[in-house]
Amino acid sequence: MSEAEARAVRILLVDDDEDDYVVTRDFLADSKRTIFSLDWIPTFDEALEAICRREHDLYLIDYRLGRRDGLELLKLAREAGCSAPLVLLTGQTDGEIDLEAMRAGAADYLVKGQIDAPLLERSIRYALEQSRTLQALRESEERYALSARGANDGLWVWNLRTNEVFYSPRWKSMFGYDEGAIGNSPDEWLARVHPDDAPILRSALEAHLQGRTPHFENEHRIRTRHGEERWMLSRGLAVRDADGIATRIAGSSTDITERKRAEERLTHDAFHDALTDLPNRALFMDRLQRAIENQSRHAASCYAVLFLDLDRFKVVNDSLGHVIGDELLVAVAGRLRNTLRTVDTVARLGGDEFAILVEGIDDITAAVRTACRIQNDLLLPFVIGEHEIFTSVSIGIAFSASGYARPQDVLRDADIAMYRAKANGKARHEVFDAAMHERALNLLQFETDLRRAIERQELRVYYQPIVSMASGKTVGVEALIRWQRGDQLISADKIISVAEETGLIVPIGDWVLREALQQLVAWDRAGVCQGYDMHVNLSPRQLLQPHLVARVSDALMLSGLPAKRLHLEVTESVLIESAEAAASLLRELRTLGVGLSLDDFGTGWSSLSSLRLFPFDVLKIDRSFLLDQDERRGDDIVRTISMLARLLGMQVTVEGLETAEQVERMRGLDIDFAQGFFFAAPMPPENLC
Ligand code: C2E
Ligand code: MG
Ligand code: MG
């Protein structure tokens, strides 16, 4: 039991009849719920003094007090500032003084002779309760008045008996109404509340009026006279009668529109991508989760996830800049939004990746149709600033039939399918299937094994001769990596692409460089393959590694070979992706004295004129030109390239010569070196010399 409950309720009885005092004392002693302490004063004057001392929680005042009456005492006590509850005791013959008593501020009145212990106790308890409520209301009204002045709140007082509401002028003006324009019906307020908010507002009111909540508080939207929608915070407190029935509720309404809008903005931002304003990954995963749950309840309602990745977005970004890149993403987002049904969720997952959740479909064909529609809609170029940009997407589709339990699994499979679409030539879509999962697992295993391949000494370097067109003699070799994985010999392309993705390219590249230089030393020592140069490939990832120049010069020092015996080959993509960094790095490498070749020329995007910026001494023309349907045209291109290369002070190598006829064709085209199966395929070092 708390201290307050343990404390006795102090009551003063003002009555000139001692018998009544005894009866009252006995009644109160009967109470099992509350402990009462009763004092007794028989005279009017003494009573007024005692009341002014405010030592009691409640006063029981007899109506008949000699010459004067209890009503007068009551009024004087109130005037003297007594706020404790006063209960008037009347005789059966005192007639209709009840109303007067209430007006004078009595909490209750009881008719002597009809009083019994429970009635007395109940009356005292309610009088105390009501007094506490009134006190709280007074305090809160003070607070409201304060905050009303400060925050320009509107005030309202609702008389529940008459069902009339007093609205303060400020309340009316908050909604654009003049003083006289609003009556005193509750509907002046409630009917203006947004239909979505009204039921909750009403039930919050109801709950408080029924005494289920300590106060009323509700946020709701309201329509102003000018049709604008504003957010209100309304608070109120009920005043109750002796039976605990609410008779009145008074409160305030505060305009919280700004705060609400800020909150809404924050929630929006948390779930949307800032650039395109599409839902972000978090929101997408949430919707996907719901789609999964929905499907587990209604098996017939299928869904699919489309994972989209723009093809060659990096090229746009790197060549035209991030600003244009961003604008392209926004434009793509807009087109996706237009293509899709409103029920579909299109989200930006990050970078140039988008995801679409298609719901309520019967089978996979609906998802495939959506993918086709998207690809079709992206066929038209985007006009951004002065640029006309063509873009396409690769799409991976995962379908709910696989019985997914977690959103991340659906997205993962759609992602795997998307990679498949890229690998199969981009600008297409693939539907995820179990075999794909298998392949993805294999790829993972491949990566893990590749990590161990170096220490297990499973990597090999093969060498392919480079032949002088003039003399027909081998002048150097190109080092090409292979992986002896069990009885499988894995080709360079596969190793390099995985190594680049995982970052393994750096240690692997270092290893190839050292291995190739050591091989050259070994041949020199053995007196075979005399004077060959060594050509080593560098991937873009390697080129942009810090300390690359130091690594190369260390490797050279370790071998003791002169720098000019080493040629590094880089592909065009480096020049596009980070032209300036690449140019300065290449110049540094040049100062070491190593040769530099531009590999696979003609497959990328660089123009001949941009080559001036880079210090290459050899241009390797890609074999694709040899394969041109129109031989004459292929040859013309090779001739033109070699002429320009010469103007820029470079020598020319042609790659991939397979037949005597091709070699013959090249003869007239002013080529310095050739490489290809016609001369020799890449081979292990022991086969070469
Ligand atoms: P690349 O530097 O252009 O090397 C030439 C590729 O063409 C080699 O493929 C070679 O086997 C192949 N080739 C040579 N002659 C012919 C021919 O007459 N016909 C045909 N069809 N192909 C021919 P490989 O060894 O599979 O290497 C592929 C690519 O992988 C290389 O292209 C190079 O870019 C990269 N690579 C190889 N080894 C390394 C390495 O150690 N480091 C790095 N970063 N890249 C490497
Ligand atoms: Mg090469
Ligand atoms: Mg090449």
Side-chain angles (χ1 to χ4, degrees), residues 464 478-482 491-493 496 505 509 512 536-539 542 569 571 599-600 620 622-623 655-658 675-678 680 682:
Q464 183 180 36
E478 177 171 6
L480 296 160
I481 195 167
R482 297 290 181 270
S491 74
D493 283 324
I496 297 301
I505 189 67
V512 172
V536 175
N537 294 284
L538 276 188
S539 87
Q542 273 172 286
E569 299 191 355
T571 52
D599 207 349
D600 300 348
K620 295 185 84 168
D622 192 75
R623 64 189 282 269
E655 298 182 277
L657 293 178
E658 293 182 355
Q675 207 179 332
F677 296 164
F678 174 77

Short mmCIF file of all heavy atoms in Angstrom, two decimals, residues 464 478-482 491-493 496 505 509 512 536-539 542 569 571 599-600 620 622-623 655-658 675-678 680 682, ligand 1:
data_model
loop_
_atom_site.label_atom_id
_atom_site.label_comp_id
_atom_site.label_asym_id
_atom_site.label_seq_id
_atom_site.Cartn_x
_atom_site.Cartn_y
_atom_site.Cartn_z
N GLN A 464 53.91 -17.54 -75.99
CA GLN A 464 53.61 -17.58 -77.42
C GLN A 464 54.60 -16.68 -78.15
O GLN A 464 54.75 -15.51 -77.80
CB GLN A 464 52.18 -17.10 -77.69
CG GLN A 464 51.84 -17.21 -79.17
CD GLN A 464 50.42 -16.76 -79.50
OE1 GLN A 464 49.92 -15.81 -78.89
NE2 GLN A 464 49.81 -17.41 -80.48
N GLU A 478 55.07 -13.76 -75.62
CA GLU A 478 54.08 -13.17 -74.71
C GLU A 478 53.74 -14.20 -73.64
O GLU A 478 53.46 -15.36 -73.94
CB GLU A 478 52.80 -12.78 -75.47
CG GLU A 478 51.73 -12.22 -74.53
CD GLU A 478 50.52 -11.62 -75.25
OE1 GLU A 478 50.45 -11.74 -76.49
OE2 GLU A 478 49.66 -11.04 -74.54
N ALA A 479 53.80 -13.75 -72.39
CA ALA A 479 53.47 -14.63 -71.27
C ALA A 479 51.96 -14.68 -71.09
O ALA A 479 51.31 -13.64 -70.98
CB ALA A 479 54.13 -14.11 -69.99
N LEU A 480 51.40 -15.87 -71.10
CA LEU A 480 49.94 -16.03 -70.96
C LEU A 480 49.66 -17.05 -69.87
O LEU A 480 50.21 -18.14 -69.87
CB LEU A 480 49.35 -16.48 -72.29
CG LEU A 480 49.50 -15.48 -73.43
CD1 LEU A 480 49.34 -16.15 -74.79
CD2 LEU A 480 48.51 -14.32 -73.28
N ILE A 481 48.80 -16.65 -68.96
CA ILE A 481 48.59 -17.50 -67.79
C ILE A 481 47.69 -18.70 -68.10
O ILE A 481 46.79 -18.62 -68.96
CB ILE A 481 47.99 -16.68 -66.63
CG1 ILE A 481 48.10 -17.45 -65.33
CG2 ILE A 481 46.56 -16.29 -66.93
CD1 ILE A 481 47.84 -16.60 -64.13
N ARG A 482 47.94 -19.79 -67.41
CA ARG A 482 47.08 -20.98 -67.47
C ARG A 482 46.97 -21.54 -66.06
O ARG A 482 47.81 -21.28 -65.20
CB ARG A 482 47.70 -22.07 -68.37
CG ARG A 482 47.88 -21.69 -69.84
CD ARG A 482 46.53 -21.59 -70.55
NE ARG A 482 46.67 -21.25 -71.96
CZ ARG A 482 46.70 -19.99 -72.43
NH1 ARG A 482 46.63 -18.96 -71.61
NH2 ARG A 482 46.82 -19.77 -73.73
N SER A 491 41.78 -21.64 -69.23
CA SER A 491 42.33 -20.59 -70.09
C SER A 491 42.38 -19.25 -69.36
O SER A 491 41.73 -19.03 -68.35
CB SER A 491 41.46 -20.46 -71.34
OG SER A 491 40.26 -19.83 -70.97
N ALA A 492 43.17 -18.35 -69.96
CA ALA A 492 43.45 -17.06 -69.32
C ALA A 492 42.19 -16.22 -69.10
O ALA A 492 42.01 -15.64 -68.03
CB ALA A 492 44.46 -16.29 -70.16
N ASP A 493 41.32 -16.16 -70.11
CA ASP A 493 40.15 -15.28 -69.99
C ASP A 493 39.35 -15.57 -68.73
O ASP A 493 38.94 -14.67 -68.02
CB ASP A 493 39.24 -15.45 -71.22
CG ASP A 493 39.82 -14.72 -72.42
OD1 ASP A 493 40.39 -13.63 -72.20
OD2 ASP A 493 39.71 -15.24 -73.54
N ILE A 496 41.38 -14.62 -65.58
CA ILE A 496 41.55 -13.17 -65.41
C ILE A 496 40.23 -12.51 -65.00
O ILE A 496 40.21 -11.66 -64.11
CB ILE A 496 42.10 -12.53 -66.70
CG1 ILE A 496 43.49 -13.09 -67.00
CG2 ILE A 496 42.16 -11.01 -66.58
CD1 ILE A 496 44.53 -12.88 -65.91
N ILE A 505 43.74 -10.53 -58.89
CA ILE A 505 44.58 -10.17 -60.03
C ILE A 505 45.93 -9.59 -59.58
O ILE A 505 46.93 -9.77 -60.25
CB ILE A 505 43.83 -9.18 -60.96
CG1 ILE A 505 44.58 -8.96 -62.27
CG2 ILE A 505 43.59 -7.86 -60.27
CD1 ILE A 505 44.62 -10.15 -63.15
N GLY A 509 49.07 -11.29 -60.86
CA GLY A 509 49.84 -10.49 -61.81
C GLY A 509 51.31 -10.40 -61.40
O GLY A 509 52.21 -10.52 -62.24
N VAL A 512 53.01 -13.70 -62.19
CA VAL A 512 53.29 -13.90 -63.61
C VAL A 512 54.51 -13.09 -64.03
O VAL A 512 55.41 -13.59 -64.72
CB VAL A 512 52.07 -13.52 -64.49
CG1 VAL A 512 52.44 -13.53 -65.97
CG2 VAL A 512 50.90 -14.44 -64.23
N VAL A 536 54.45 -9.04 -71.10
CA VAL A 536 53.58 -9.43 -69.98
C VAL A 536 52.33 -8.54 -69.99
O VAL A 536 52.44 -7.33 -70.16
CB VAL A 536 54.32 -9.32 -68.64
CG1 VAL A 536 53.38 -9.62 -67.47
CG2 VAL A 536 55.52 -10.27 -68.60
N ASN A 537 51.16 -9.17 -69.81
CA ASN A 537 49.90 -8.41 -69.80
C ASN A 537 49.63 -7.80 -68.43
O ASN A 537 49.89 -8.42 -67.40
CB ASN A 537 48.73 -9.33 -70.15
CG ASN A 537 48.83 -9.81 -71.58
OD1 ASN A 537 48.55 -9.06 -72.52
ND2 ASN A 537 49.26 -11.06 -71.75
N LEU A 538 49.12 -6.60 -68.46
CA LEU A 538 48.70 -5.95 -67.21
C LEU A 538 47.22 -5.61 -67.33
O LEU A 538 46.82 -5.00 -68.31
CB LEU A 538 49.44 -4.61 -67.02
CG LEU A 538 50.83 -4.57 -66.42
CD1 LEU A 538 51.21 -3.13 -66.18
CD2 LEU A 538 50.87 -5.34 -65.10
N SER A 539 46.44 -6.01 -66.35
CA SER A 539 45.01 -5.68 -66.43
C SER A 539 44.80 -4.28 -65.84
O SER A 539 45.63 -3.79 -65.10
CB SER A 539 44.20 -6.70 -65.67
OG SER A 539 44.12 -6.33 -64.32
N GLN A 542 45.33 -3.95 -62.20
CA GLN A 542 46.72 -3.93 -61.77
C GLN A 542 47.35 -2.58 -61.99
O GLN A 542 48.11 -2.08 -61.17
CB GLN A 542 47.52 -4.94 -62.60
CG GLN A 542 47.54 -6.31 -62.09
CD GLN A 542 48.18 -7.20 -63.12
OE1 GLN A 542 47.58 -7.51 -64.15
NE2 GLN A 542 49.41 -7.59 -62.88
N GLU A 569 51.86 -5.04 -71.68
CA GLU A 569 50.73 -4.86 -72.60
C GLU A 569 49.49 -4.46 -71.80
O GLU A 569 49.14 -5.12 -70.83
CB GLU A 569 50.43 -6.18 -73.33
CG GLU A 569 51.61 -6.65 -74.18
CD GLU A 569 51.22 -7.79 -75.12
OE1 GLU A 569 50.06 -8.27 -75.03
OE2 GLU A 569 52.08 -8.20 -75.92
N THR A 571 45.31 -3.06 -72.22
CA THR A 571 44.21 -2.93 -73.17
C THR A 571 43.62 -1.53 -73.11
O THR A 571 43.83 -0.79 -72.16
CB THR A 571 43.09 -3.95 -72.87
OG1 THR A 571 42.75 -3.80 -71.51
CG2 THR A 571 43.54 -5.36 -73.14
N ASP A 599 47.26 -3.23 -76.31
CA ASP A 599 46.78 -4.56 -76.70
C ASP A 599 45.36 -4.49 -77.28
O ASP A 599 44.60 -3.58 -76.95
CB ASP A 599 46.77 -5.44 -75.45
CG ASP A 599 46.95 -6.91 -75.79
OD1 ASP A 599 46.87 -7.26 -76.98
OD2 ASP A 599 47.18 -7.69 -74.85
N ASP A 600 45.02 -5.45 -78.09
CA ASP A 600 43.64 -5.61 -78.60
C ASP A 600 43.09 -4.33 -79.22
O ASP A 600 41.90 -4.01 -79.07
CB ASP A 600 42.68 -6.03 -77.47
CG ASP A 600 43.09 -7.35 -76.84
OD1 ASP A 600 43.95 -8.02 -77.44
OD2 ASP A 600 42.55 -7.69 -75.78
N LYS A 620 49.05 -3.29 -80.87
CA LYS A 620 48.71 -4.65 -81.28
C LYS A 620 47.28 -4.63 -81.82
O LYS A 620 46.33 -4.37 -81.09
CB LYS A 620 48.79 -5.61 -80.09
CG LYS A 620 50.21 -5.76 -79.56
CD LYS A 620 50.29 -6.81 -78.46
CE LYS A 620 50.43 -8.21 -79.04
NZ LYS A 620 50.80 -9.18 -77.97
N ASP A 622 43.89 -6.03 -83.03
CA ASP A 622 43.10 -7.20 -82.66
C ASP A 622 42.77 -8.05 -83.87
O ASP A 622 42.59 -7.55 -84.98
CB ASP A 622 41.80 -6.74 -81.97
CG ASP A 622 41.10 -7.91 -81.32
OD1 ASP A 622 41.58 -8.33 -80.25
OD2 ASP A 622 40.10 -8.39 -81.88
N ARG A 623 42.65 -9.36 -83.63
CA ARG A 623 42.43 -10.28 -84.75
C ARG A 623 41.05 -10.14 -85.37
O ARG A 623 40.79 -10.69 -86.45
CB ARG A 623 42.66 -11.72 -84.32
CG ARG A 623 41.71 -12.23 -83.26
CD ARG A 623 42.18 -13.59 -82.77
NE ARG A 623 41.83 -14.65 -83.71
CZ ARG A 623 40.71 -15.35 -83.66
NH1 ARG A 623 39.81 -15.08 -82.72
NH2 ARG A 623 40.47 -16.32 -84.52
N GLU A 655 47.70 -9.59 -84.25
CA GLU A 655 47.49 -10.78 -83.43
C GLU A 655 46.60 -11.77 -84.17
O GLU A 655 45.80 -11.39 -85.01
CB GLU A 655 46.73 -10.41 -82.14
CG GLU A 655 47.43 -9.44 -81.23
CD GLU A 655 46.59 -9.21 -79.97
OE1 GLU A 655 45.67 -8.39 -79.99
OE2 GLU A 655 46.88 -9.90 -78.98
N GLY A 656 46.76 -13.04 -83.81
CA GLY A 656 45.80 -14.05 -84.20
C GLY A 656 45.89 -14.52 -85.65
O GLY A 656 44.88 -14.89 -86.25
N LEU A 657 47.08 -14.50 -86.21
CA LEU A 657 47.22 -15.02 -87.58
C LEU A 657 47.20 -16.54 -87.53
O LEU A 657 48.04 -17.15 -86.87
CB LEU A 657 48.52 -14.52 -88.20
CG LEU A 657 48.60 -13.00 -88.46
CD1 LEU A 657 49.95 -12.61 -89.01
CD2 LEU A 657 47.49 -12.57 -89.41
N GLU A 658 46.25 -17.13 -88.24
CA GLU A 658 46.08 -18.58 -88.13
C GLU A 658 46.47 -19.30 -89.41
O GLU A 658 46.80 -20.49 -89.38
CB GLU A 658 44.62 -18.91 -87.78
CG GLU A 658 44.26 -18.45 -86.38
CD GLU A 658 42.84 -18.80 -85.97
OE1 GLU A 658 42.08 -19.32 -86.81
OE2 GLU A 658 42.49 -18.53 -84.81
N GLN A 675 51.75 -12.53 -84.58
CA GLN A 675 51.57 -13.50 -83.51
C GLN A 675 50.37 -14.32 -83.91
O GLN A 675 49.41 -13.78 -84.46
CB GLN A 675 51.27 -12.73 -82.23
CG GLN A 675 51.66 -13.38 -80.94
CD GLN A 675 51.31 -12.48 -79.76
OE1 GLN A 675 51.28 -11.25 -79.90
NE2 GLN A 675 51.06 -13.06 -78.61
N GLY A 676 50.41 -15.62 -83.68
CA GLY A 676 49.23 -16.41 -84.01
C GLY A 676 49.56 -17.88 -84.13
O GLY A 676 50.72 -18.28 -84.16
N PHE A 677 48.49 -18.68 -84.17
CA PHE A 677 48.65 -20.13 -84.22
C PHE A 677 49.44 -20.56 -85.45
O PHE A 677 50.07 -21.61 -85.45
CB PHE A 677 47.28 -20.83 -84.21
CG PHE A 677 46.49 -20.59 -82.94
CD1 PHE A 677 45.12 -20.86 -82.90
CD2 PHE A 677 47.12 -20.13 -81.78
CE1 PHE A 677 44.39 -20.66 -81.74
CE2 PHE A 677 46.39 -19.93 -80.61
CZ PHE A 677 45.02 -20.19 -80.59
N PHE A 678 49.38 -19.74 -86.52
CA PHE A 678 50.13 -20.10 -87.73
C PHE A 678 51.61 -20.27 -87.38
O PHE A 678 52.28 -21.19 -87.88
CB PHE A 678 49.97 -19.04 -88.80
CG PHE A 678 50.85 -19.30 -90.00
CD1 PHE A 678 50.51 -20.27 -90.94
CD2 PHE A 678 52.05 -18.60 -90.17
CE1 PHE A 678 51.34 -20.52 -92.02
CE2 PHE A 678 52.87 -18.86 -91.25
CZ PHE A 678 52.52 -19.82 -92.19
N ALA A 680 52.95 -20.21 -83.93
CA ALA A 680 52.99 -21.12 -82.78
C ALA A 680 51.91 -20.74 -81.80
O ALA A 680 51.62 -19.56 -81.61
CB ALA A 680 54.35 -21.05 -82.09
N PRO A 682 50.42 -20.68 -77.84
CA PRO A 682 51.08 -20.56 -76.53
C PRO A 682 51.46 -21.95 -76.04
O PRO A 682 50.70 -22.90 -76.25
CB PRO A 682 50.00 -19.94 -75.64
CG PRO A 682 49.01 -19.33 -76.57
CD PRO A 682 49.04 -20.16 -77.81
P1 C2E B 1 45.94 -11.13 -75.30
O1 C2E B 1 46.93 -10.40 -74.48
O2 C2E B 1 45.39 -10.43 -76.48
O3 C2E B 1 46.58 -12.49 -75.72
C1 C2E B 1 46.40 -13.10 -76.93
C2 C2E B 1 45.34 -14.13 -76.83
O4 C2E B 1 45.05 -14.60 -78.12
C3 C2E B 1 45.77 -15.37 -76.03
O5 C2E B 1 44.66 -15.91 -75.41
C4 C2E B 1 46.23 -16.30 -77.11
O6 C2E B 1 46.18 -17.66 -76.74
C5 C2E B 1 45.24 -16.01 -78.19
N1 C2E B 1 45.77 -16.30 -79.52
C6 C2E B 1 47.03 -16.25 -79.99
N2 C2E B 1 47.10 -16.58 -81.30
C7 C2E B 1 45.84 -16.87 -81.69
C8 C2E B 1 45.27 -17.30 -82.95
O7 C2E B 1 45.92 -17.45 -83.97
N3 C2E B 1 43.92 -17.48 -82.96
C9 C2E B 1 43.17 -17.31 -81.84
N4 C2E B 1 41.87 -17.53 -81.94
N5 C2E B 1 43.68 -16.92 -80.66
C10 C2E B 1 45.01 -16.69 -80.58
P2 C2E B 1 44.67 -16.38 -73.91
O8 C2E B 1 45.98 -16.95 -73.55
O9 C2E B 1 43.46 -17.15 -73.68
O10 C2E B 1 44.57 -15.01 -73.15
C11 C2E B 1 43.45 -14.20 -73.25
C12 C2E B 1 43.68 -12.86 -72.68
O11 C2E B 1 43.85 -12.96 -71.28
C13 C2E B 1 44.93 -12.17 -73.15
O12 C2E B 1 44.69 -11.56 -74.37
C14 C2E B 1 45.21 -11.21 -72.06
O13 C2E B 1 44.46 -10.04 -72.23
C15 C2E B 1 44.71 -11.95 -70.86
N6 C2E B 1 45.83 -12.52 -70.11
C16 C2E B 1 46.50 -13.67 -70.32
N7 C2E B 1 47.44 -13.84 -69.39
C17 C2E B 1 47.40 -12.78 -68.58
C18 C2E B 1 48.14 -12.36 -67.41
O14 C2E B 1 49.10 -13.02 -66.95
N8 C2E B 1 47.79 -11.19 -66.84
C19 C2E B 1 46.78 -10.44 -67.33
N9 C2E B 1 46.49 -9.30 -66.71
N10 C2E B 1 46.08 -10.78 -68.42
C20 C2E B 1 46.40 -11.94 -69.04
#
